[in-house]
Amino acid sequence: MADHNVLSDGNTEERDEIIGMLTKAYWMEIETVMSYVANSVNPDGVRAAEIKESLAADIQEELGHAQQFAARIKELYGTVPGSMDFKAEQDFLQPPETATDIPSVIRGVIEAEKGAIDFYSELIDKASEIDPVTEDMVIAILRDEQGHMREFEGFLKEYEAEGRA
Ligand SMILES: [Fe+2]
């Protein structure tokens, strides 16, 4: 670290490392938006309604996260990548074989949120060295993801209690 200014020439290396992590986070959010759009529409059944409604609401929040990550990439002299760079990773959030299989959707959401929580915790740790603005931003986003995960853990608990999961 050359000095404590994340935007100084001497800190290009540190900055690039943070931009790399912000870019990964950006793609995670974009893929989550895709997965939640599909899963807020696909499930069938009376019990699916609440899950679909909750996911539909989360889409806007996840999109907002993607926009925040994009803005921060730019502020750090980076470039937000184009769609050709996108590589899908959320194999656990693909549509289940039967549209009434709600527990598998719930488990997929929990896994997505857990992945985000793990990675954002790493990003916060990295940013804390030199970039308190990124650190602060990601702390707020981390709280949203923790809230989503806890909500879906609650949904799963209900299914398990009824012997349906
Ligand atoms: Fe998010």
Side-chain angles (χ1 to χ4, degrees):
M1 202 189 305
D3 52 49
H4 292 284
N5 176 2
V6 72
L7 295 179
S8 75
D9 287 343
N11 284 323
T12 304
E13 210 173 294
E14 297 281 325
R15 202 164 55 239
D16 284 350
E17 214 175 308
I18 293 169
I19 289 171
M21 294 180 85
L22 287 168
T23 303
K24 182 180 157 85
Y26 169 74
W27 286 131
M28 287 170 82
E29 297 289 350
I30 294 287
E31 187 171 10
T32 299
V33 168
M34 286 195 268
S35 296
Y36 286 7
V37 167
N39 284 296
S40 69
V41 171
N42 284 334
D44 280 329
V46 180
R47 303 294 301 274
E50 252 169 287
I51 304 296
K52 288 159 72 172
E53 204 176 297
S54 175
L55 282 174
D58 289 348
I59 291 165
Q60 300 308 320
E61 209 166 297
E62 305 297 8
L63 185 58
H65 295 162
Q67 289 178 298
Q68 287 183 66
F69 283 121
R72 192 59 188 154
I73 289 167
K74 181 70 176 173
E75 283 163 4
L76 294 177
Y77 297 120
T79 302
V80 182
S83 58
M84 293 300 284
D85 283 350
F86 176 71
K87 279 219 306 286
E89 286 179 358
Q90 292 179 351
D91 52 356
F92 45 84
L93 263 174
Q94 304 310 298
E97 264 172 48
T98 51
T100 50
D101 184 2
I102 310 305
S104 94
V105 173
I106 296 173
R107 286 200 181 87
V109 171
I110 291 171
E111 183 148 359
E113 299 293 351
K114 193 182 172 302
I117 290 166
D118 286 347
F119 185 63
Y120 297 172
S121 300
E122 249 179 77
L123 176 47
I124 288 163
D125 191 47
K126 174 70 202 166
S128 71
E129 295 166 12
I130 193 175
D131 185 359
V133 175
T134 293
E135 181 189 18
D136 188 57
M137 182 189 89
V138 184
I139 286 170
I141 294 174
L142 177 64
R143 187 179 189 184
D144 290 342
E145 311 300 6
Q146 288 176 340
H148 290 164
M149 190 181 81
R150 292 292 298 115
E151 185 184 21
F152 275 76
E153 280 179 346
F155 290 148
L156 188 61
K157 206 186 267 180
E158 188 178 54
Y159 275 85
E160 281 170 347
E162 294 170 3
R164 298 163 63 116

